Amino acid sequence: MMTRLGTAEAGPGEIDTGRLEVGETRDGSSFGLPVAVINGAEPGQTLYMQAVSDGDELNGVGVVQRVVPRLDPAELSGTILVVGIVNYHAFQVAEHRNPIDDTKMNRTYPGNENGTSSERIAHATFEAATRADLIVDLHQGSTSRMIDEVRVRCGKRHRLHEECLELAKVFGCGYILDQRGPDGQLARAGPDDGIPTIDPELGGAVGWDETSIEKGVAGVFNVLSHYGFLEGDSDYERQTRASGFDQYGSPVGGLVTFKRELGQRVSAGEVLFEVTTPFGETKAEITADSDGILWRTRRLPQVATGEYVCSVGTDIDTY
């Protein structure tokens, strides 16, 4: 049976790439998102995978770039649908938000076929995603430094919470954030449509991080093995899970020096960072409100009063 996504078309045991047309640019030229269809020789489940719904989060397309060439449809059971770059306009200018409508794409799902630029792209990609049994939406921490983690965003009371947690555990970054996400995220909309969905956040700080990309590649192949797309072991380890975040801003302006490393445990009352003058004079020391893990930090040292500095993952357990 032929499987199509945009102009990509593949029969059993075949792979094809193409474009999913989603509109026109400002000069009236049509544009499409790069897509791939990997149609296994044997029947099975369908996995949908996408990257770069936020235009400066590039590690996801690094994962796609490495995973797709390693897939042999002759050895695959089931089908993999891939959108390699979702936020077309933002990717072109290396910005986080779609510059056509100044919108964060991952707040517009399930989209609207007659809506704004971002809503139309979200609609087209959500239609592809809801053809699948599993959804993996690849992200990174954008302008902040972040540990490699997987986010489960449906909320603990959701009927698919356990299925989403299993998918996150199988992906296997080592850390899971299990916290209900904002409206409009694919990792919220997918489970609401009955499809287990995860949001791997592969490192952070704008750029291209090989270590985080390779963790993402390993995670995708863990999923493919565990869910029967590929033969192989599907063993996985317990993950460190946070169910909340404490966020910290600076009470003064100056230069930030962190006293704990990213990923380290912190205790309530422990100094997280200090803010100094350009001459090294201490202006403020900020302590942790709760026990947890230093999960995310700003990339640059300079801060103004009230500016974001870091986040501590709280309510830690293992899953």
Side-chain angles (χ1 to χ4, degrees):
M1 178 177 176
M2 299 296 291
T3 300
R4 297 177 178 85
L5 179 57
T7 63
E9 182 178 43
E14 296 178 346
I15 181 171
D16 194 26
T17 60
R19 293 274 169 172
L20 176 63
E21 187 170 324
V22 286
E24 296 182 350
T25 61
R26 287 169 171 163
D27 66 358
S29 303
S30 64
F31 75 93
L33 313 179
V35 298
V37 175
I38 304 97
N39 194 349
E42 299 297 328
Q45 298 192 87
T46 297
L47 170 69
Y48 173 82
M49 180 167 59
Q50 71 173 33
V52 198
S53 69
D54 297 313
D56 58 355
E57 298 186 7
L58 304 180
N59 285 343
V61 73
V63 173
V64 170
Q65 181 195 46
R66 289 158 174 75
V67 166
V68 172
R70 289 171 55 180
L71 294 172
D72 182 353
E75 298 177 354
L76 185 73
S77 298
T79 304
I80 305 172
L81 305 175
V82 186
V83 179
I85 298 168
V86 172
N87 199 337
Y88 175 91
H89 298 291
F91 178 80
Q92 300 300 322
V93 292
E95 293 181 0
H96 190 74
R97 300 164 73 90
N98 181 350
I100 302 301
D101 54 18
D102 191 31
T103 298
K104 182 175 172 67
M105 182 79 68
N106 199 32
R107 297 292 184 274
T108 61
Y109 284 92
N112 178 352
E113 64 179 328
N114 298 311
T116 66
S117 172
S118 295
E119 289 171 339
R120 289 169 186 252
I121 294 171
H123 172 78
T125 52
F126 192 68
E127 278 202 327
T130 52
R131 295 164 56 186
D133 301 290
L134 304 164
I135 298 172
V136 175
D137 183 18
L138 299 166
H139 286 265
Q140 74 184 82
S142 189
T143 57
S144 297
R145 297 173 60 241
M146 185 185 290
I147 61 176
D148 298 296
E149 47 142 331
V150 180
R151 296 190 168 186
V152 172
R153 299 306 246 163
C154 63
K156 293 184 178 180
R157 296 183 178 180
H158 198 283
R159 68 188 188 280
L160 289 190
H161 179 247
E162 288 299 319
E163 289 87 343
C164 292
L165 263 184
E166 179 187 11
L167 182 56
K169 185 174 182 178
V170 168
F171 197 91
C173 272
Y175 295 91
I176 294 172
L177 176 66
D178 185 9
Q179 185 184 55
R180 191 170 185 262
D183 289 342
Q185 290 190 322
L186 179 56
R188 282 278 307 278
D192 285 349
D193 210 73
I195 307 168
T197 305
I198 56 171
D199 174 351
E201 294 273 356
L202 300 171
V206 172
W208 187 262
D209 182 77
E210 291 293 338
T211 299
S212 294
I213 290 170
E214 286 304 319
K215 283 188 179 180
V217 171
V220 172
F221 279 101
N222 288 344
V223 168
L224 294 177
S225 296
H226 180 79
Y227 290 95
F229 293 88
L230 295 173
E231 292 186 359
D233 296 332
S234 59
D235 293 338
Y236 48 89
E237 300 177 351
R238 295 183 72 85
Q239 307 285 294
T240 299
R241 176 172 62 169
S243 297
F245 261 151
D246 287 343
Q247 297 198 62
Y248 297 86
S250 179
V252 296
L255 299 170
V256 170
T257 301
F258 287 100
K259 297 302 182 181
R260 302 298 288 169
E261 295 293 327
L262 199 63
Q264 283 189 321
R265 294 266 182 168
V266 299
S267 301
E270 185 175 359
V271 175
L272 294 173
F273 62 91
E274 68 173 3
V275 185
T276 70
T277 71
F279 307 107
E281 302 158 304
T282 299
K283 297 182 70 177
E285 287 188 335
I286 308 305
T287 58
D289 295 331
S290 311
D291 295 347
I293 293 171
L294 186 57
W295 203 272
R296 181 173 185 164
T297 67
R298 65 181 293 105
R299 177 171 57 98
L300 299 174
Q302 64 268 39
V303 290
T305 302
E307 193 168 6
Y308 172 81
V309 176
C310 67
S311 301
V312 173
T314 62
D315 304 315
I316 303 297
D317 64 4
T318 60
Y319 179 83

